[in-house]
């Protein structure tokens, strides 16, 4: 039974109307009651392996459900989904296996044709998941997919269909790849890795180890698209560094590694979805035949090749126009040019059409002249594979192949309503006009039912812009009164301007005679016989590293050293010595000049190692602490079997291998400390040695930074600022310092700077720390005054039990302490600044700022500070941390020295040195006396507290503070 489904009101706001026909569109049955009266449909899928199985997808804005039929749409079962499907990928062989990609980047699998789903993987790149290929992958249920790691990193992963756990995941490529770069096509896998802003493309053939794709040395690609991978060869379109709207075509050998230029400056354009479209068309039915539009001197011309890009030529224009008038068009000044865009809509034809079932027949729109134009476009046809062309219409038409190409139907491309179509039974030589409707119809599309092997077609459109769809079924079977017999066929010899040997063989096809008026039907199949030809120079293309001269000879490019092709000697005992030529892939010629042009296998010469390369598998000079680093060692020339390789990792560890083949998969090493390591690889044999060095930066993630700065500073006096990192060692670090509103920062490689503030007021200091891919920052405000008084504060021990040691907590406690001191003493809030210091035990410092209006810039007497100290000593400053937790604030009694006074009368260098010595001596005495105790009480002292005392109470330079602190640690032990 042949079934046809139409959804007439797709994405309607109310409901969709689904209709089914089982008689090629003669009658239709409405299926709304079978799928749900108010169901809104968005997509219809038919299983490629079983046409009886149909899947309908509902509109995501209304619901997420699947409607599944196993009887060609006669009945449906509805299954609700817990996710929203964006795209489906059916298995090429297993009819019930499906992959579904969701809107939130998750990939699901079903082995029951969508009735049940299982999550495969999260964070999967869109359209970067592929089914395994039988005969290449180890398991039929394997999935190739690209997972998103970060904005600029992805991974190539293989997963089992129903068991994608970390233990079962495969990682065929050792390292990160560029996002949206994984392509799995036939027996090849391609990925891209950018290093230093330049992409490197890797290929794996037959699921073997990845190898960098070798384009000519100075290609320097900006973009690369894989065009074709059939018959064990890769055709790639490469946009080079000096190209903008064109691409160069390159072709490979069977391994997909070594590429040679096939055609330059092929035209490209952008598709509706932002995809790149290359003006290259592979002709169906004839292997190795391509058409391409090439741009030279801002002129676009169409070229044809019969041997996979080895030779190209212009198209000969028709001898006469549609009316029989002669066309004067002489090569190379004038030729036929074709538009090569293929329609993505299955219901409309593109600019060019060819079918496997009708070899040699090509229908395309184009123009005749010196270049391809978009005006005066006509329709052209060839029935001998591009050797001769005929004009069939002087406007653009959509052409449909029926009965295996035995009949052609054409409908005019026009925005106006039409009621006629044209039909040809003799490969487009004569066309008959037919009326398909009484009322003119705006044609939206046409469809052969169920394909090109029948004589039934459907035209759908609308009578007016406000009307619903109209379907017109056309059955051409009544025109024919018999089936074709053997006498209705003839032989046709494929040739290129009279040359019958194409791709090394003579191909003879069995085709319907143009005068035969009969039906071939579904049982007809294309038959071809072939006969091998003797090899000639035309069967060989230039090998990698060779350019074709104007006389057709292949000579080494200026950058290429032929001896470098013996690199296989690094892993074997023989190598293939290129003659500068290689046989075109899939060319089946024999004998002739094959011995002269074919590369010869030779024994590797004994020579010293040369051209040693050392890189990481990711192509980077950085690595993360504690992770596996894979080093790849390549040797361009040398006796690899007898050349040992020693890798010194620069951290006291080294490995030696007896030969190059032992390290084909790389050398792994884990670094246990941050630093810059000098990694050395040395190749050595009896004839000599060579070494190469790589400097590897091993880093760890920077997690937190803290800017250590005084809270109050004296105007025009030097202040030390220090950025403290955690972890303290993260690798190479850059510090960017911003002061106030300055637009230019200070950049240093050290974590400390000294600065002075020339104006009073609040100053902001921001430090940014750049380590690897991370940039963190911290900001502090510093109050600057002519002078100030300060004193350290201590607390009752119960506060330490509630101190989480976070910045927000310290700010809140500082505010509470200040309010308590203001309340206890009556000092104005503007003159008091309190800050809680980091660390344990909890400590703080208060600053008494001058009253400018009263003192006129002169230091005040000690009366107010004495009031504050008296309140603190009498336990008058208290606050409630939480119910039941009362905290008392004390003045820290660390020395007999008074409050620090930064006025000129009390800040001489002699006085400061004397105070430093006194306090340091007392501190050492206290530690020595009570070193066995933890000092957690009211007058307790700790390493942290002494650091605060030395660095803040006396404002000593940083280096002196560190020296004093180290001296204290030594005595305390």
């Amino acid at each position: 039974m042949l079934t046809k489904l139409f959804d007439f009101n797709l994405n309607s706001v109310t409901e969709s109307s689904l209709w089914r026909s089982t008689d090629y569109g003669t009658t239709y049955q409405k299926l709304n009651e079978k799928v749900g009266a108010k169901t809104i449909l968005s997509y219809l899928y038919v299983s490629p392996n079983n046409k009886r199985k149909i899947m309908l997808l509902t509109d995501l804005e209304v619901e997420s459900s699947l409607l599944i039929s196993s009887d060609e749409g006669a009945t449906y079962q509805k299954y609700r989904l817990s996710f929203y499907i964006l795209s489906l990928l059916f298995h090429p062989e297993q009819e019930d296996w499906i992959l579904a990609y969701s809107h939130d980047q998750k990939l699901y699998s079903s082995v029951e044709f969508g009735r049940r789903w299982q999550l495969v993987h999260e964070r999967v790149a869109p359209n970067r998941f592929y089914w395994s290929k039988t005969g290449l992958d180890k398991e039929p249920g394997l999935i190739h997919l690209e997972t998103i790691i970060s904005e600029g990193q992805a991974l190539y992963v293989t997963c089992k269909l129903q068991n994608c756990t970390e233990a079962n995941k495969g990682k065929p490529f050792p390292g990160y790849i560029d996002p949206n770069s994984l392509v799995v096509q036939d027996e090849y896998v391609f990925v891209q890795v950018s290093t230093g802003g330049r992409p490197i493309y890797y290929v794996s053939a037959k699921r073997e180890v990845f190898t960098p794709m070798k384009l000519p040395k100075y290609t320097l690609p900006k973009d690369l698209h894989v065009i074709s991978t059939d018959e064990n060869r890769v055709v790639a379109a490469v946009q080079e560094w000096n190209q903008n709207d064109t691409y160069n075509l390159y072709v490979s050998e069977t391994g997909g590694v070594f590429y040679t230029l096939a055609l330059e400056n092929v035209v490209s354009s952008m598709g509706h979805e932002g995809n790149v479209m290359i003006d290259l068309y592979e002709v169906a039915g004839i292997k190795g035949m391509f058409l391409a539009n090439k741009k030279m001197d801002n002129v676009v011309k169409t070229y044809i090749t019969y041997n996979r890009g080895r030779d190209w030529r212009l198209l000969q224009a028709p001898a006469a126009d549609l009316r029989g008038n002669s066309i004067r068009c002489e090569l190379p000044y004038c030729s036929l040019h074709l538009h090569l865009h293929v329609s993505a809509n299955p219901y409309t034809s593109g600019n060019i059409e060819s079918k496997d079932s009708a070899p040699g027949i090509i229908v395309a729109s184009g123009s005749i002249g010196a270049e391809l134009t978009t005006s005066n476009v006509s329709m052209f046809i060839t029935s001998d594979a591009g050797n001769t062309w005929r004009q069939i219409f002087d406007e653009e038409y959509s052409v449909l192949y029926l009965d295996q190409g035995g009949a052609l139907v054409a409908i005019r491309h026009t925005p106006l309503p039409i009621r006629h179509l044209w039909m040809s039974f003799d490969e487009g030589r004569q066309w008959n006009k037919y009326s398909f409707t009484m009322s003119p119809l705006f044609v939206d599309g046409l469809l052969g039912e169920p394909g090109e092997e029948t004589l039934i077609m459907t035209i759908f459109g609308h009578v007016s812009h406000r009307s619903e769809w109209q379907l017109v079924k056309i059955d051409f079977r009544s025109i024919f009164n018999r089936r074709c017999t053997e006498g209705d066929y003839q032989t046709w010899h494929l040739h290129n301007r009279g040359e019958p040997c194409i791709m090394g063989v003579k191909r003879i096809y069995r085709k319907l005679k143009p005068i035969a008026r009969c039906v071939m039907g579904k049982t007809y199949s294309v038959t071809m016989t072939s006969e091998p030809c003797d090899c000639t120079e035309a069967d060989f293309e230039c090998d990698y590293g060779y350019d074709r001269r104007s006389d057709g000879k292949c000579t080494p490019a200026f950058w290429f050293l032929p001896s470098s092709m013996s690199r296989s000697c690094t892993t074997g005992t023989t190598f293939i010595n290129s003659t500068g030529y290689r046989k075109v892939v899939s060319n089946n010629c024999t004998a002739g000049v094959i011995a002269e042009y074919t590369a010869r296998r030779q024994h590797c010469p004994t020579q010293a190692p040369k051209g040693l390369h050392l890189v990481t598998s990711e192509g980077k000079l950085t690595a993360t602490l504690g992770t596996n680093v894979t080093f790849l060692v390549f040797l361009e020339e040398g006796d690899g079997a007898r050349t040992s390789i020693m890798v010194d990792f620069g951290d006291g560890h080294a490995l030696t291998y007896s030969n190059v083949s032992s390290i084909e998969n790389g050398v792994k090493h884990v670094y246990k400390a941050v630093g810059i390591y000098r990694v050395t690889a040395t190749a050595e044999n009896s004839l000599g040695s060579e070494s190469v060095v790589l400097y590897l930066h091993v880093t760890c993630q920077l997690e937190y930074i803290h800017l250590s700065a005084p809270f109050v500073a004296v105007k025009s006096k030097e202040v030390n600022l220090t950025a403290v990192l955690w972890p303290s060692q993260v690798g190479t670090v850059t510090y960017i310092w911003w002061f106030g509103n300055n637009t230019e920062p200070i950049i240093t490689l050290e974590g400390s700077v000294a600065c002075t503030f020339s104006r009073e007021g609040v100053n902001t200091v921001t430090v940014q720390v750049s380590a690897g891919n991370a940039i963190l920052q911290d900001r502090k405000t510093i109050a600057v005054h002519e002078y100030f008084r300060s004193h350290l504060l201590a607390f009752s021990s119960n506060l330490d039990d509630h101190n989480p040691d976070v910045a927000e907590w310290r700010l809140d406690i500082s505010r509470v302490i200040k309010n308590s001191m203001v309340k206890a003493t009556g000092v104005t809030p503007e003159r008091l600044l309190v800050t809680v210091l980091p660390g344990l035990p909890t400590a703080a410092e208060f600053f008494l700022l001058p009253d400018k209006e009263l003192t006129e810039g002169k230091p005040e007497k000690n009366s107010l500070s004495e009031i504050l100290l008296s309140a603190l000593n009498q336990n008058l400053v208290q606050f409630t941390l939480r119910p039941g937790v009362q905290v008392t604030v004390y003045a820290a009694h660390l020395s007999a020295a008074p409050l620090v006074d930064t006025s000129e009368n009390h800040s001489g260098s002699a006085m400061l040195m004397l105070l430093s010595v006194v306090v340091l001596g007392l501190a050492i005495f206290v530690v020595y006396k009570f070193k066995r105790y933890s000092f957690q009480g009211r007058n307790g002292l700790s390493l942290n507290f002494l650091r605060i005392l030395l660095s803040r109470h006396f404002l000593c330079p940083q280096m002196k503070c560190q020296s004093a602190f180290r001296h204290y640690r030594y005595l305390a032990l």
Side-chain angles (χ1 to χ4, degrees):
M1 181 182 291
L2 297 172
T3 305
K4 178 177 179 179
L5 293 170
F6 270 100
D7 182 6
F8 287 99
N9 295 312
L10 202 65
N11 294 328
S12 167
V13 295
T14 56
E15 64 176 287
S16 296
S17 296
L18 185 68
W19 299 78
R20 177 176 182 261
S21 173
T22 59
D23 53 8
Y24 292 114
T26 301
T27 60
Y28 282 90
Q29 175 191 6
K30 191 174 183 180
L31 301 178
N32 280 39
E33 68 278 2
K34 298 181 183 298
V35 300
K38 296 298 182 180
T39 301
I40 302 176
L41 305 176
S42 59
Y43 290 101
L44 182 150
Y45 298 91
V46 179
S47 170
N49 304 302
N50 186 345
K51 304 300 182 182
R52 294 180 59 84
K53 293 188 175 182
I54 298 171
M55 181 182 293
L56 301 175
L57 182 62
T58 59
D59 191 341
L60 300 182
E61 295 184 1
V62 179
E63 62 175 323
S64 181
S65 298
L66 286 177
L67 297 164
I68 297 175
S69 172
S70 298
D71 53 9
E72 293 186 320
T75 60
Y76 287 89
Q77 286 183 304
K78 192 171 187 177
Y79 297 87
R80 294 197 177 274
L81 301 174
S82 60
F83 58 96
Y84 296 99
I85 294 178
L86 290 184
S87 62
L88 294 175
L89 182 65
F90 292 85
H91 194 278
E93 298 172 0
Q94 300 290 335
E95 62 184 55
D96 291 335
W97 291 10
I98 309 173
L99 295 177
Y101 186 74
S102 69
H103 71 292
D104 54 355
Q105 298 181 327
K106 294 179 181 178
L107 187 67
Y108 296 84
S109 68
S110 174
V111 294
E112 301 177 47
F113 200 71
R115 292 173 177 84
R116 290 187 181 87
W117 295 91
Q118 178 175 329
L119 177 65
V120 177
H121 208 288
E122 298 182 347
R123 293 181 60 79
V124 176
N127 301 318
R128 301 293 173 176
F129 47 91
Y130 308 86
W131 284 110
S132 58
K133 188 173 179 63
T134 303
L136 288 174
D137 293 288
K138 297 178 180 179
E139 299 181 31
L142 202 66
I143 305 169
H144 302 262
L145 51 93
E146 178 185 312
T147 63
I148 302 169
I149 302 301
S150 63
E151 183 177 351
Q153 291 181 323
L155 276 178
Y156 167 30
V157 175
T158 57
C159 265
K160 293 183 178 180
L161 177 62
Q162 296 288 302
N163 190 18
C164 189
T165 62
E166 285 296 328
N168 291 324
K169 284 183 186 177
K171 295 181 180 179
F173 186 80
Y176 295 117
I177 65 174
D178 290 352
N180 297 310
S181 69
L182 174 66
V183 175
V184 182
Q185 193 166 308
D186 295 326
E187 66 180 55
Y188 300 97
V189 181
F190 304 88
V191 297
Q192 173 184 321
V193 178
S194 293
T195 302
R198 182 177 296 177
I200 301 175
Y201 301 95
Y202 292 84
V203 62
S204 166
K206 298 181 179 179
R207 307 301 188 258
E208 296 293 336
V209 177
F210 278 90
T211 305
M213 295 168 62
K214 298 292 185 180
L215 294 164
K217 186 173 182 179
Y218 294 105
T219 300
L220 305 180
K222 295 191 296 185
D223 192 23
L224 184 147
H225 296 274
V226 177
I227 303 297
S228 172
T229 55
D230 60 344
E231 297 202 8
N232 305 317
R233 182 186 218 192
V234 180
V235 179
V238 179
Q239 188 171 62
E240 302 190 18
W241 63 274
N242 57 350
Q243 293 178 302
N244 294 315
D245 57 354
T246 61
Y247 282 71
N248 290 347
L249 287 183
Y250 287 89
V251 294
S252 77
E253 30 64 77
T254 55
V257 176
F258 295 98
Y259 290 79
T260 58
L261 181 66
L263 186 66
E264 292 183 291
N265 297 316
V266 179
V267 176
S268 69
S269 58
M270 296 299 293
H272 295 297
E273 298 180 357
N275 55 310
V276 177
M277 301 176 64
I278 310 296
D279 268 20
L280 177 72
Y281 180 77
E282 185 171 5
V283 178
I286 299 179
K287 296 295 184 181
M289 185 175 174
F290 290 84
L291 291 160
N293 284 328
K294 178 179 178 179
K295 186 176 184 179
M296 288 184 61
D297 301 324
N298 292 321
V299 172
V300 177
K301 297 185 177 184
T302 302
Y303 288 78
I304 189 171
T305 179
Y306 294 87
N307 53 8
R308 293 188 169 273
R310 197 278 190 190
D311 299 293
W312 297 83
R313 65 172 175 84
L314 295 168
L315 298 179
Q316 178 65 60
D321 63 14
L322 190 60
R323 297 163 185 82
N325 301 317
S326 296
I327 297 177
R328 300 192 61 180
C329 185
E330 296 183 4
L331 296 172
Y333 310 104
C334 174
S335 59
L336 173 64
H337 311 287
L338 305 177
H339 296 280
L340 303 179
H341 288 170
V342 179
S343 175
N345 187 340
Y347 304 117
T348 60
S349 65
N351 300 117
I352 186 168
E353 285 285 344
S354 63
K355 299 291 182 181
D356 288 325
S357 60
I361 301 178
I362 309 170
V363 183
S365 63
S367 59
I368 298 173
E371 62 177 316
L372 178 66
T373 63
T374 56
S375 59
N376 299 321
V377 175
S378 300
M379 296 298 298
F380 300 90
I381 190 170
T382 177
S383 54
D384 59 1
N387 285 282
T388 60
W389 294 81
R390 299 183 302 277
Q391 184 180 9
I392 53 177
F393 299 106
D394 55 8
E395 294 180 274
E396 284 195 82
Y397 277 69
S398 293
V399 178
L400 194 69
Y401 287 64
L402 298 179
D403 190 32
Q404 313 273 18
L408 301 174
V409 178
I411 294 182
R412 185 159 61 102
H413 271 309
T414 175
L416 302 176
I418 57 175
R419 53 191 296 264
H420 295 100
L421 58 78
W422 299 81
M423 192 167 186
S424 173
F425 305 98
D426 56 2
E427 299 179 341
R429 291 175 176 83
Q430 292 183 342
W431 292 86
N432 300 315
K433 186 177 181 181
Y434 294 88
S435 176
F436 64 87
T437 179
M438 297 299 294
S439 302
L441 189 71
F442 292 94
V443 175
D444 295 316
L446 59 156
L447 184 66
E449 293 297 335
E452 63 208 45
E453 65 271 12
T454 69
L455 281 167
I456 300 173
M457 64 176 291
T458 301
I459 298 175
F460 53 95
H462 50 279
V463 176
S464 68
H465 293 295
R466 296 183 179 180
S467 68
E468 295 183 346
W469 264 5
Q470 302 290 319
L471 270 73
V472 179
K473 172 191 173 182
I474 305 175
D475 191 342
F476 294 102
R477 290 178 294 182
S478 60
I479 299 176
F480 303 91
N481 54 16
R482 66 183 181 88
R483 298 188 68 85
C484 296
T485 63
E486 190 62 33
D488 294 313
Y489 295 96
Q490 65 180 3
T491 58
W492 171 65
H493 295 255
L494 175 65
H495 66 94
N496 177 10
R497 291 193 293 191
E499 172 55 57
C501 288
I502 297 176
M503 295 293 290
V505 295
K506 297 177 182 179
R507 281 177 273 183
I508 304 173
Y509 292 86
R510 176 173 172 262
K511 293 179 61 176
L512 191 67
K513 293 179 180 178
I515 60 173
R517 181 70 66 89
C518 58
V519 178
M520 290 187 287
K522 296 182 180 180
T523 58
Y524 168 79
S525 61
V526 177
T527 58
M528 181 198 69
T529 59
S530 61
E531 177 185 341
C533 301
D534 288 341
C535 291
T536 66
E537 187 268 342
D539 296 307
F540 295 84
E541 62 190 2
C542 290
D543 202 351
Y544 173 76
Y546 290 80
D547 293 331
R548 187 177 299 279
R549 299 186 314 199
S550 58
D551 61 358
K553 300 297 182 182
C554 296
T555 57
F558 74 93
W559 50 266
F560 182 69
L561 297 175
S563 62
S564 64
M565 291 305 292
S566 64
R567 292 177 185 175
S568 58
C569 289
T570 61
T571 57
T573 58
T574 62
F575 74 101
I576 297 177
N577 188 14
S578 176
T579 61
Y581 298 84
R582 69 186 185 196
K583 196 176 181 182
V584 176
V585 175
S586 300
N587 187 296
N588 295 315
C589 71
T590 59
V593 299
I594 190 169
E596 178 183 349
Y597 285 90
T598 302
R600 303 170 183 85
R601 183 167 292 278
Q602 297 181 356
H603 287 284
C604 293
T606 302
Q607 56 182 345
K610 182 179 180 182
L612 187 64
H613 297 272
L614 174 64
V615 296
T616 62
S617 60
E618 297 180 9
K620 298 180 178 180
L621 297 177
T622 61
T624 303
L625 180 69
T627 61
N628 257 322
V629 184
T630 301
F631 295 97
L632 303 179
V633 183
F634 302 102
L635 184 62
E636 293 186 5
E637 299 179 33
D639 186 356
R642 298 178 179 84
T643 300
S644 64
I645 301 293
M646 189 271 288
V647 181
D648 186 337
F649 302 106
D651 62 349
H653 295 85
L655 292 174
T656 302
Y657 299 86
S658 60
N659 53 58
V660 177
S661 60
S662 304
I663 55 173
E664 284 185 348
N665 295 325
V667 182
K668 290 180 169 43
H669 186 65
V670 177
Y671 287 92
K672 298 181 179 180
V674 170
I676 303 176
Y677 294 90
R678 186 178 188 269
V679 186
T680 306
T682 303
E684 184 176 7
N685 61 24
S686 59
L687 297 179
S689 64
E690 184 170 284
S691 296
V692 63
V693 175
L694 180 149
Y695 293 95
L696 184 70
H697 293 243
V698 177
T699 63
C700 66
Q701 183 67 34
L702 178 62
E703 298 183 17
Y704 174 78
I705 70 167
H706 169 72
L707 175 57
S708 177
F711 302 97
V712 183
V714 178
K715 173 183 172 183
S716 300
K717 285 197 174 182
E718 191 174 89
V719 174
N720 290 304
L721 308 174
T722 301
V724 181
L725 312 183
W726 194 88
S728 59
Q729 298 296 324
V730 294
T732 305
V733 177
T734 303
Y735 301 85
I736 303 100
W737 305 85
W738 303 84
F739 295 93
N741 296 323
N742 290 350
T743 57
E744 294 293 332
I746 297 174
I747 300 176
T748 67
L749 297 178
E750 296 292 335
S752 297
V753 295
C755 66
T756 57
F757 298 97
S758 58
R759 295 182 180 179
E760 291 189 71
V762 176
N763 290 267
T764 301
V765 178
T766 303
V767 61
Q768 293 179 322
V769 180
S770 174
N773 295 326
I775 297 181
L776 300 181
Q777 77 172 31
D778 192 16
R779 178 181 289 114
K780 288 291 187 295
T781 56
I782 301 175
V784 179
H785 296 276
E786 288 281 356
Y787 62 91
F788 61 86
R789 300 176 187 273
S790 67
H791 198 89
L792 291 172
L793 301 175
F795 303 92
S796 52
S797 59
N798 57 350
L799 182 59
D800 289 345
D801 298 332
H802 304 279
N803 183 355
D805 198 23
V806 295
E808 293 82 359
W809 184 88
R810 292 193 291 270
L811 287 174
D812 287 337
I813 296 299
S814 298
R815 175 176 48 80
V816 171
I817 297 170
K818 176 179 177 180
N819 292 339
S820 299
M821 294 180 69
V822 169
K823 183 178 179 180
T825 62
V827 65
T828 57
E830 292 77 12
R831 298 193 58 192
L832 190 62
L833 178 63
V834 178
T835 180
V836 176
L837 305 174
L840 290 172
T842 310
E845 187 173 7
F846 78 82
F847 300 88
L848 184 60
L849 307 179
D851 188 340
K852 294 293 184 180
E853 295 181 0
L854 298 177
T855 60
E856 296 181 355
K858 297 180 180 179
E860 301 176 77
K861 296 183 179 180
N862 293 337
S863 57
L864 187 54
S865 59
E866 292 173 354
I867 294 174
L868 287 170
L869 287 175
S870 175
L872 290 167
N873 291 330
Q874 296 179 44
N875 300 338
L876 299 179
V877 181
Q878 298 182 347
F879 62 91
T880 302
L881 188 65
R882 62 172 59 181
V885 180
Q886 190 75 11
V887 178
T888 303
V889 185
Y890 307 102
H893 298 293
L894 294 175
S895 70
L899 283 165
V900 172
D901 191 339
T902 60
S903 63
E904 292 297 329
N905 296 336
H906 300 85
S907 59
S909 58
M911 179 64 72
L912 181 59
M913 181 61 70
L914 178 60
L915 290 175
S916 300
V917 172
V918 171
V919 173
L920 180 59
L922 288 173
I924 293 172
F925 173 79
V926 170
V927 173
Y928 179 79
K929 189 72 175 177
F930 303 102
K931 63 182 178 181
R932 296 183 181 270
Y933 298 92
S934 60
F935 304 109
Q936 297 292 323
R938 171 176 172 179
N939 296 323
L941 187 65
S942 69
L943 298 182
N944 184 54
F945 205 84
L946 182 60
R947 186 195 296 271
I948 295 168
L949 171 67
L950 293 174
S951 61
R952 299 190 182 281
H953 194 59
F954 293 101
L955 299 176
C956 68
Q958 183 190 17
M959 293 305 295
K960 292 183 179 179
C961 294
Q962 291 178 349
S963 299
F965 181 61
R966 286 195 296 267
H967 186 55
Y968 160 74
R969 289 286 302 268
Y970 176 77
L971 290 177
L973 294 175

